[in-house]
Amino acid sequence: MADSYLFTEHMAVGYGRAILIDDISIRVARGEIVTLIGPNGAGKSTILKSMIRQLALMGGRVVLDKDDMAALDGRAVAKKMSVLMTDRTQPELMTCFDVVAAGRYPYTGRFGVLSGEDRRRVRESLALVHALELEAADFSRISDGQRQRVLLARAICQEPEVIVLDEPTSFLDIRHKLELLSILKEMVRERRVAVIMSLHELDLAQRISDTVVCVCENHIDRVGEPEDIFTDDYIRRLYGVKRGGYHADFGCPELETAAGEPQTFVIGGGGSGISCYRRLQRKGVPFFAGVLHTNDIDYAVAKYLAVQIIDTPPFEPIGEETYERARACMHLCKTVYCTLEDFGSMNEANRRLMEEAREMEILREPCAAGRI
């Protein structure tokens, strides 16, 4: 607790008199990113809104830099905490410079007059999010992605010790998602800012977070490091995935296996088969995949998309028994794709399969060219 800059004690949140989640314990240290994940409607935004006093607490307390936030006035909180929520800000007749300058409110005094130093901070914050060229633009006339960057600049302009963000990558393209999260990571590393946010993009949450808080069915289900949270089985359970799956190593979802008896066989390995697997799945073609070593990157995808994998232990040549199993499956097929260009001693059996498929006149290659 001594290392936590922002934390909750027995916090209960909800609406009206109805408690949605209670006994919430979240701790955020300076120099750390804590990310809330979970299905829609689980309560992630409600937790964040309650922590920043946008919603009244139903119980417990929030502590900011050793002070109970309930005892602090708005200006005192604003000097330590900045906020970027998903609520669509619609200021009238304000330039982007004006919007960012609002972040200087805790420092400008009663009349809100900007000093030269304040103006420098505003432009510095705009430059940090690559939006300096927008300073004179009407905030209401820029794109959603540009607005998100300007609002982040406003949060940075407050010079906070902790930043709270609700789905900050919404409305951003991939370039600006990565830029925004890189900026946050840089602030955490260099300025020791504490960050707590919610994210829907699991791949980004897996890569940027120090701690992950899983919100599910109106309770905190698990808290831990990304390596403990992002496993195939747990993410499926957290989100109630019934069809398809989640690929923890790639940080992405996988669609479900095409239904039916396979009449197609894919000889792959070393990552060469993945695009072929995806093409076949998109076209609804059930297929066999093999022979794959169980540590092969192709195996990691085929286990979701193939009807059956003919596999073999890692670091060992493909044995004769495994070859015969693959051969039997191949003889059930009308089409064989081979995505391999080279064969070594470990997968000599795959070369034999390819040659037999060619003799049977069912070999179609290369799959990667899209001829399926």
Side-chain angles (χ1 to χ4, degrees), residues 32 49 105 107 141 143 152 154 224 262 313 360:
E32 179 185 30
K49 288 178 180 179
Y105 148 77
Y107 309 100
R141 294 180 178 273
S143 71
L152 177 60
R154 183 183 66 182
M360 295 168 62

Side-chain angles (χ1 to χ4, degrees), residues 178-209:
L178 294 175
E179 284 185 354
L180 183 148
L181 294 179
S182 295
I183 291 166
L184 287 178
K185 198 67 178 177
E186 190 173 291
M187 293 180 67
V188 166
R189 185 172 56 249
E190 296 182 2
R191 305 185 190 184
R192 304 293 294 168
V193 173
V195 173
I196 180 168
M197 63 181 170
S198 64
L199 279 179
H200 277 304
E201 296 94 332
L202 296 185
D203 55 332
L204 299 179
Q206 184 174 2
R207 287 159 176 75
I208 195 173
S209 308

